[in-house]
């Protein structure tokens, strides 16, 4: 073919070159030979970091050593704090800069600059929340001088790496992105790091989704029915974290061993308002925000526990932690050690653990004296408010108030910029402005007689503690340096958002717990429904005093478990933390495992802690299976599957056919009893049913009286999700076989199942048909793992890129055991299907007797570079429940080192 003499225009030439790079990489994967393959290899490897020899890092005062073990995990040794964090920034940029860059664009509402017009809606919502603005205020007005110094040093290290790397030398993703637009990364700033805490706080914001869901349910269910679907926490069966203690009425100080009488937290009168189906638009907006930590709406979980030396084989505490987050590539966590060669005034750190790429310091781990872990406390720190507005302002206390406004310009790759106006009330930003449908929110919402005329509808504003500047970044560095429980609690007091359960152990043998966070005190209402923004009685009146937040220190029982259960019995605590706790299935199972081990003087070993983390027993299976096996099933085809449950021990191993069948029965039970009765806004997107109109209560006797309604909710946040809240919903119904929830209708509105046993038999039949379709007719070939698979996806190009491009960055599947609300919490949404939606994103067991005998593992690997040897070299071991040795002392680190890089001034 003759050469093209004219040649393409410069822009097209650049685009064509980018396409050729990607095509070559694909050819490399398929063929693996030839000159094109060599070029593809060089492109893929261009971003792999230098890990041996010596490199210049401007700004250092002394050389810094970076030792990496066989998994590529770095341990940094420096002589000053600034050198240490400058090197941390450089090294994290080596391995994870794409991830860091995407995160900062997400937190600042600038994804459109990278990915184009499809991200404008998400950016608009994030700009409305103003995370970046709040982070800037934190940096300017709240953070300590030392924290600012560390953040600047970290930024300098990142920028030193960026100065010498661009395009494919930064990562393969930039090579792919290059053919779409002319995007180039800008310099890193300290505020980029601080803003990441806002993303963490967003996914751990409390019960906002529950507020929305309850309100949406009002179109189909009565208030009494909704209460049944949100039962009270079972304090008598599932222990809270802190057992006992009280707040001194005079000093407002929480005392773990006090028995003083306190006034229980009032529930407050619920707002005399409820939102109808228009709220689904807000729910959809929430779903579009990247769920970096876990699916919106399911309630992110985690496990942590600590056992004192009185009950361990080492004679010193053992501490375990495994946060449950969204599976992604690479893992949210980055393992790292930060060591001062000599600790003293110039260099204060000797810590190791799990970090966030893009943020200095260690988030979870240990130093030379203490160890700490985190789980989501679940405090209700956000409220939605209905607002009566017009073009000029909003109504408050019978007075018209002007909006606070600001303009935001959203730059769009390959397109024109967009400008939005953000309006705020005294409660916070009006989030309903970000969707045309939301202008009609509240048109048909039932409100009290004192409510203002709804006119064209109410708007919705958001009040959230994370929109107030705080000192959580200070807390990270203070935790890293704490030497005892006093220092730990001081650091915890600054960990304002997100509210986390913090557990503690030290090398002297002490264990402890602290509930930190900025938690609001409400004048009226309990945070379970959106509140009337025009009524001053529903304003926040302040925050729970830090000294009044629950804690424990060396409790008599000798261990502490936190797994998102209630922190303290609400009948014995004068403040309202939340009405929407996790329901304690995991926490109580961990309590039971520890108790069974230490009874009669038994001791817990490091191996035991690791075994506990992989416990996959199903509480709902233990509860429901006896009812299932007693049902007289006539159909031999279904009876064959039912027999799988006879003698089953309720464990959910990957190869278990019984676990596969039970979970399918549980899914179909929930669908028949509750899911098909939900409003369309809570059902899975695209799943359509013939139902009675929402305002019709009488029976429909023919198809003409039914309406066709299709679900609108993302599959991983639809209801019923099957978590342990639903265990508590179903538990009392099992002893009430004629309860109305067991009754169903067919597609023509005629009576279907009339009682519990009929519905359970129906669910068993549906499960048999479903698994036959998915796994085959032969039940000998069924296994839970084949249904329950984990895929690791790059959170940008691996989810929305072309199919062939996704194949470059994504990995999987892995067939997993465990399940929703099991200790091995491989979560799945029963409404949406069986795929894994969250996982233990890392696991660690810290040995306070000998820190070098601690163990850890990450979900993926140290590297964010596709085709690096460390891209997912820990995943297979993670899936099997294995842990890796965790070197801490300089001697152990040197012994484990495979590569050493010296960074010189």
């Amino acid at each position: 073919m003759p050469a093209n003499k004219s040649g393409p225009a410069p822009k097209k030439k650049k685009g064509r070159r980018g396409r050729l790079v990607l095509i070559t990489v694909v050819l490399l994967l398929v063929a693996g030979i030839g000159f094109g393959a060599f070029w593809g290899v060089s492109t893929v490897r261009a971003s792999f970091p230098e890990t041996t020899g010596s490199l210049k890092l401007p700004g250092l005062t002394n050389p810094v050593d970076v030792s990496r073990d066989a998994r590529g995990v770095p341990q940094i040794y420096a002589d000053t704090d600034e050198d240490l964090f400058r090197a941390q920034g450089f090294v994290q940029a080596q391995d994870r800069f794409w991830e860091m860059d995407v995160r900062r664009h997400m937190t600042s509402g600038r994804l459109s600059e990278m990915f184009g017009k499809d991200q404008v809606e998400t950016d608009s919502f994030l700009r409305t929340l103003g995370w970046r603005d709040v982070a800037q205020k934190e940096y300017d007005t709240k953070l300590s001088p030392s924290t600012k110094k560390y953040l600047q040093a970290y930024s300098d290290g990142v920028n030193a790496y960026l100065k010498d790397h661009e395009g494919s030398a930064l990562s393969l993703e930039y090579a792919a992105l290059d053919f779409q637009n002319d995007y180039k990364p800008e310099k890193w700033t300290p505020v980029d790091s601080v803003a990441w805490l806002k993303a963490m706080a967003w996914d751990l914001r409390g019960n906002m989704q529950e507020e929305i869901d309850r309100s949406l349910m009002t179109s189909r269910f009565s208030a009494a029915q909704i209460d049944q679907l949100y039962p009270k926490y079972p304090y008598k069966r599932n222990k809270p974290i802190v057992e006992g203690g009280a707040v001194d009425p005079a000093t407002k100080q929480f005392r773990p061993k006090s028995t003083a009488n306190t006034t229980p937290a009032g529930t407050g009168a619920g707002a005399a308002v409820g939102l109808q189906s228009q709220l689904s638009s807000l729910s959809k907006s929430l779903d579009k925000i990247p769920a970096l930590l876990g699916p919106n709406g399911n309630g992110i979980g985690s496990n942590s526990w600590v056992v004192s030396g009185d009950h361990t084989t080492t004679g010193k505490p053992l501490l375990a932690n495994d946060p449950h987050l969204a599976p992604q590539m690479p893992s949210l966590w980055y393992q790292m050690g930060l060591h001062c060669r000599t600790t003293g005034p110039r260099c204060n750190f000797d810590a190791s653990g799990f970090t966030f790429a893009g943020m200095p310091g260690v988030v979870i781990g240990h130093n030379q004296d203490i160890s700490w872990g985190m789980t989501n406390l679940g405090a209700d720190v956000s409220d939605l408010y209905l607002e009566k507005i017009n073009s000029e302002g909003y109504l408050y206390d019978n007075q018209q108030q002007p909006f606070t406004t600001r303009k935001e310009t959203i730059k769009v790759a390959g397109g024109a910029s967009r400008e939005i106006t953000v309006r705020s009330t005294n409660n916070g930003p009006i989030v309903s402005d970000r969707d045309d449908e939301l202008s009609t929110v509240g048109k048909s919402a039932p409100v009290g007689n004192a409510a203002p005329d709804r006119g064209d509808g109410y708007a919705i504003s958001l009040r959230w503690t994370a929109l107030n500047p705080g000192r959580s970044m200070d807390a990270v560095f203070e935790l890293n340096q704490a030497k005892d429980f006093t220092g730990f609690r001081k650091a915890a007091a600054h960990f304002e958002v997100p509210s986390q359960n913090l557990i503690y152990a030290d090398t002297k043998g002490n264990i402890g717990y602290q509930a930190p966070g900025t938690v609001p005190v409400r004048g009226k209402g309990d945070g379970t429904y959106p509140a009337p923004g025009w009524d001053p009685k529903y304003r926040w009146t302040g925050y729970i005093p830090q000294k009044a937040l629950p804690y424990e220190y060396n409790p008599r029982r000798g261990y502490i478990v936190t797994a998102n259960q209630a922190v303290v019995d609400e009948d014995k605590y004068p403040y309202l933390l939340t009405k929407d706790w996790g329901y304690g299935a995991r926490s109580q199972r961990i309590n039971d495992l520890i108790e069974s081990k230490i009874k009669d003087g038994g001791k817990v070993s490091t191996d035991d802690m690791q075994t506990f983390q992989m416990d996959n027993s199903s509480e709902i299976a233990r509860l429901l299976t006896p009812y299932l096996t007693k049902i007289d099933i006539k159909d031999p085809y279904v009876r064959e599957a039912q027999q799988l449950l006879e003698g089953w021990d309720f464990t959910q191993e990957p190869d278990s056919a019984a676990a596969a069948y039970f979970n399918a029965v549980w899914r179909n039970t929930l669908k028949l009893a509750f899911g098909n009765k939900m409003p369309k806004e809570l059902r899975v997107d695209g799943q359509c049913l013939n139902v009675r109109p929402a305002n019709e209560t009488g029976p429909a006797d023919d198809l003409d009286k039914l309406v066709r309604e299709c679900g609108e909710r993302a599959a991983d946040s639809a209801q019923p999700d099957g978590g342990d809240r639903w265990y508590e919903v179903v538990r009392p119904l099992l002893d009430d076989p004629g309860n109305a929830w067991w009754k169903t209708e067919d597609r023509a509105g005629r009576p279907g199942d009339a009682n519990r046993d009929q519905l359970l038999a129906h669910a068993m039949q549906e499960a048999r048909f479903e698994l036959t379709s998915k796994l085959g007719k032969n039940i000998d070939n069924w296994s839970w793992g084949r249904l329950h698979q984990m895929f690791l996806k790059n959170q940008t190009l691996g989810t929305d890129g072309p199919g062939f491009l996704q194949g470059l960055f994504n990995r999987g599947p892995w067939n997993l055991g465990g399940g929703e609300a099991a200790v091995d919490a491989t979560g799945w949404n029963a409404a949406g299907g069986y795929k894994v939606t969250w996982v233990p994103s890392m696991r660690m067991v810290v040995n306070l007797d000998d820190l070098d005998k601690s163990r850890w593992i990450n979900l993926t690997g140290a590297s964010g570079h596709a085709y690096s040897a460390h891209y997912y070299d820990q995943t297979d071991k993670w899936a099997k429940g294995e842990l890796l040795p965790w070197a801490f002392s300089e001697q152990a680190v040197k012994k484990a080192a495979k590569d050493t890089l010296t960074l010189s001034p």
Side-chain angles (χ1 to χ4, degrees):
M1 181 180 293
N4 184 339
K5 301 289 186 180
S6 62
K11 250 188 176 178
K12 292 184 178 179
K13 184 174 182 181
K14 186 174 186 179
R16 186 173 297 169
R17 184 179 299 119
R19 290 186 182 91
L20 286 172
V21 170
L22 290 172
I23 291 170
T24 304
V25 173
V26 174
L27 290 174
L28 162 67
L29 299 178
V30 175
I33 56 174
F35 176 77
F38 175 79
W39 186 40
V41 169
S42 65
T43 302
V44 170
R45 290 181 176 174
S47 59
F48 291 4
E50 294 182 59
T51 58
T52 60
S54 180
L55 291 175
K56 296 291 185 181
L57 179 52
L60 292 177
T61 57
N62 292 296
V64 174
D65 291 325
V66 183
S67 294
R68 293 178 183 260
D69 65 13
R71 303 286 171 176
V73 175
Q75 304 278 345
I76 300 176
Y77 289 86
D79 293 322
T80 70
D81 293 331
E82 292 94 320
D83 284 354
L84 188 66
F85 294 116
R86 184 175 277 103
Q88 184 182 13
F90 184 88
V91 170
Q92 288 191 339
Q94 280 187 306
D95 281 332
R96 298 283 191 95
F97 184 74
W98 169 262
E99 176 189 9
M100 294 164 59
D101 202 14
V102 171
R103 282 182 182 175
R104 67 167 164 175
H105 279 80
M106 190 272 286
T107 57
S108 59
R110 295 172 54 200
L111 289 169
S112 300
E113 294 179 21
M114 298 183 76
F115 304 111
K117 62 182 181 180
D118 289 344
Q119 298 301 317
V120 169
E121 189 174 337
T122 297
D123 282 346
S124 298
F125 194 87
L126 292 167
R127 294 286 186 96
T128 298
L129 295 179
W131 292 353
R132 173 77 185 199
D133 294 340
V134 178
Q136 184 70 58
K137 291 175 184 176
E138 288 184 356
Y139 184 79
D140 291 341
T141 65
K142 291 289 186 177
L143 300 183
S144 69
S146 60
T147 292
K148 291 183 179 181
K149 180 173 62 176
Y150 303 152
L151 286 165
Q152 187 60 58
Y154 180 91
S155 298
D156 292 342
V158 174
N159 292 328
Y161 188 75
L162 290 181
K163 184 178 180 181
D164 297 325
H165 297 79
E166 63 179 17
S168 62
L170 274 174
S171 78
L172 186 60
E173 286 92 338
Y174 289 104
L177 191 66
D178 193 46
F179 75 87
Q180 296 182 13
N181 57 61
D182 296 324
Y183 171 79
K184 292 290 185 293
E186 60 192 33
K187 286 187 176 181
W188 194 266
T189 72
V191 180
D192 291 333
S193 296
V194 177
W196 172 240
L197 286 171
K198 300 303 170 188
M200 183 180 177
W202 175 254
D203 277 358
L204 303 175
R205 63 192 178 273
N207 75 335
M208 186 189 300
Q209 195 67 53
E210 284 81 357
E211 280 189 56
I212 293 170
D213 288 356
R214 281 190 185 92
S215 299
L216 293 171
M217 287 179 184
T218 60
S219 69
R220 288 283 174 186
F221 304 139
S222 68
Q225 287 175 314
I226 294 172
D227 286 344
Q228 286 181 300
L229 300 183
Y230 289 88
K232 293 183 178 180
Y233 185 88
Y235 288 99
K236 292 183 178 179
R237 187 174 63 255
N238 295 343
K239 298 176 183 177
I241 296 171
V242 176
E243 299 178 37
V247 174
D248 187 305
T251 65
K252 305 299 183 184
Q253 176 82 38
F254 184 85
R255 301 190 183 282
K257 298 180 181 179
S258 173
T259 58
N261 292 324
T262 62
T263 302
T267 59
V273 294
L275 298 182
Q276 297 292 334
S277 60
Q278 292 89 344
L279 256 176
S280 64
S281 299
L282 176 57
S283 182
K284 290 176 184 177
S285 295
L286 303 185
D287 276 331
K288 288 175 182 176
I289 297 177
L292 294 178
L293 304 186
N296 288 321
N298 279 16
I300 293 175
S302 297
N303 299 324
S304 72
W305 65 91
V306 61
V307 183
S308 76
D310 291 341
H311 300 303
T312 67
T313 57
T314 66
K316 289 290 179 68
L318 294 170
L319 184 150
N321 198 187
D322 54 283
H324 306 154
L325 308 174
Q328 58 186 266
M329 178 63 80
S331 165
L332 194 73
W333 300 107
Y334 183 87
Q335 294 153 290
M336 199 172 215
L338 301 173
H339 308 279
C340 292
R341 292 190 179 98
T342 303
T343 55
R346 297 178 67 238
C347 204
N348 295 276
F349 295 86
D350 189 15
S352 182
F354 293 87
T355 73
F356 290 138
M359 199 176 88
V362 171
V363 178
I364 294 174
H366 68 82
N367 60 28
Q368 69 273 34
D369 298 306
I370 77 165
S371 179
W372 65 95
M374 298 184 187
T375 64
N376 188 20
L377 189 150
D380 186 359
V381 296
S382 63
D383 279 337
L384 296 172
Y385 284 88
L386 294 182
E387 304 284 1
K388 174 60 178 176
I389 68 170
N390 58 32
S391 60
E392 302 299 322
Y394 62 98
L395 186 68
Y396 178 72
D397 198 14
N398 295 316
Q399 299 290 323
Q400 191 73 16
Q401 304 291 334
F403 294 118
T404 301
T405 63
R406 69 178 191 274
K407 300 285 187 181
E408 295 278 352
T409 300
I410 299 172
K411 297 179 180 179
V412 182
S417 297
R418 314 286 178 88
E419 186 176 86
I420 64 170
T421 299
V422 177
R423 303 187 295 176
S424 297
T425 72
N426 58 0
N427 289 312
I430 298 179
V431 290
S432 53
D433 278 350
R434 298 285 71 86
D435 191 300
D436 290 341
E437 284 185 295
L438 288 175
S439 63
T440 62
V441 165
K443 278 186 176 180
S444 59
V447 294
N449 293 331
D453 178 70
R454 65 170 53 90
D456 292 330
Y458 301 127
I460 302 176
S461 64
L462 169 67
R463 186 158 191 188
W464 178 35
T465 56
L467 299 184
N468 300 325
R471 296 185 59 186
S472 295
M473 196 70 238
D474 283 345
V476 172
F477 295 114
E478 291 168 350
L479 278 174
N480 285 202
Q481 299 175 79
K483 297 185 179 302
D484 52 29
F485 193 61
T486 299
F488 167 80
R489 293 192 70 206
K490 180 181 177 182
H494 292 149
F495 210 102
E496 294 166 283
V497 291
S499 294
Q500 295 288 283
N501 294 309
L502 293 175
I503 60 165
Y504 168 93
D506 62 39
T507 55
K508 294 181 180 179
N510 302 299
I511 66 172
Y513 162 82
Q514 177 67 56
T518 299
V519 183
V521 176
R522 295 167 177 83
K524 191 176 181 181
D526 59 11
T528 56
Y529 284 90
W534 52 80
D535 190 342
K537 294 177 182 177
Y538 287 86
R539 293 276 292 169
W540 293 359
T541 61
Y543 301 94
I544 298 176
Q546 287 289 321
K547 63 183 180 180
L549 289 170
Y551 77 96
E552 281 192 313
Y553 187 57
N554 293 327
R556 183 177 301 176
R557 65 185 177 278
Y559 63 89
I560 301 169
V561 175
T562 87
N564 317 115
Q565 79 271 41
V567 170
V568 65
D569 191 332
E570 67 179 6
D571 290 336
K572 301 176 182 177
Y573 191 67
Y575 299 102
L576 175 64
L577 292 170
T578 186
K579 286 290 184 178
D580 288 304
W581 299 112
Y583 281 80
R586 281 180 288 109
S587 62
Q588 193 55 46
R589 176 62 177 171
I590 297 167
N591 272 291
D592 292 344
L593 289 169
I594 295 172
E595 284 285 354
S596 67
K597 190 68 182 181
I598 67 177
K599 68 179 181 180
D600 302 324
K603 302 290 185 180
V604 177
S605 68
T606 305
D607 287 342
D608 292 327
M609 299 284 277
Q610 185 173 340
T611 299
F612 294 167
Q613 287 181 323
M614 293 303 294
D615 182 86
N616 57 33
S617 177
S618 169
E619 181 186 341
I620 189 59
R622 193 178 303 275
L623 177 68
L624 186 56
T625 298
Y627 292 88
L628 298 175
T629 54
K630 290 178 182 177
I631 294 175
D632 184 16
I633 299 294
K634 304 296 186 183
D635 185 341
Y637 191 63
V638 180
R639 171 62 183 148
E640 181 186 32
Q642 182 190 35
Q643 288 177 312
L644 291 171
L645 303 178
E646 296 172 0
W648 178 44
D649 64 358
F650 316 120
T651 59
Q652 301 173 94
E653 296 294 332
D655 61 355
S656 172
Y661 182 60
F662 173 79
N663 283 314
V665 174
W666 172 235
R667 165 173 149 81
N668 281 280
T669 297
L670 291 172
K671 181 179 179 181
L672 293 168
F674 309 102
N676 291 348
K677 302 168 186 175
M678 291 281 175
K680 63 182 184 298
E681 295 86 0
L682 273 70
R683 298 202 312 269
V684 175
D685 185 22
Q687 291 185 2
C688 302
L689 295 172
N690 295 320
V691 299
R692 290 196 304 270
N695 60 353
E696 183 179 313
T697 58
D701 54 11
D702 60 66
L703 197 60
D704 292 337
K705 292 188 178 180
L706 302 181
V707 294
R708 187 74 167 167
E709 284 189 352
C710 296
E712 299 177 354
R713 182 66 64 83
D716 62 6
S717 57
Q719 291 294 337
D721 61 31
D724 61 357
R725 171 165 69 90
W726 291 97
Y727 300 2
E728 299 308 315
V729 171
V730 170
R731 190 185 301 272
L733 299 182
L734 290 172
D735 293 327
D736 186 8
N739 191 283
W741 286 112
W742 297 120
K743 298 176 182 179
T744 66
E745 296 175 349
D746 67 15
R747 293 185 178 182
R750 292 184 293 264
D753 304 313
N755 56 47
R756 179 197 65 199
D757 288 355
Q758 286 185 18
L759 186 142
L760 293 179
H762 188 178
M764 294 170 74
Q765 180 185 54
E766 292 293 317
R768 176 45 155 140
F769 294 155
E770 182 183 9
L771 294 200
T772 298
S773 173
K774 294 179 182 295
L775 302 179
K777 183 176 181 179
N778 186 351
I779 65 173
D780 292 336
N781 294 330
W782 290 0
S783 70
W784 175 224
R786 285 179 60 203
L787 275 180
H788 191 52
Q789 293 184 322
M790 176 185 72
F791 293 84
L792 296 174
K793 294 186 177 183
N794 179 293
Q795 291 299 285
T796 51
L797 301 184
T799 55
D800 294 324
F804 77 91
L805 194 57
Q806 294 185 30
L808 297 179
F809 299 107
N810 298 343
R811 299 294 182 269
W814 281 265
N815 297 347
L816 298 184
E820 184 75 20
V823 180
D824 181 20
T826 55
W828 57 286
N829 185 298
Y834 304 97
K835 75 171 185 176
V836 175
T837 58
W838 69 35
V839 294
S841 56
M842 63 79 160
R843 297 186 184 101
M844 74 176 195
V845 178
V846 181
N847 183 332
L848 277 299
D849 178 57
D850 185 346
L851 293 168
D852 285 332
K853 292 182 179 178
S854 301
R855 304 172 187 175
W856 63 353
I857 199 160
N858 205 351
L859 174 62
T860 59
S863 180
H865 300 296
Y867 304 105
S868 163
H870 306 306
Y871 191 47
Y872 66 110
D873 59 338
Q874 298 185 46
T875 309
D876 286 344
K877 289 183 176 294
W878 172 93
K880 297 174 184 175
E882 298 179 22
L883 299 178
L884 298 169
W886 181 356
F888 176 69
S889 70
E890 187 172 6
Q891 181 180 4
V893 169
K894 286 182 177 178
K895 185 177 180 181
K898 298 299 181 184
D899 293 327
T900 300
L901 173 70
T902 298
L903 301 174
S904 302

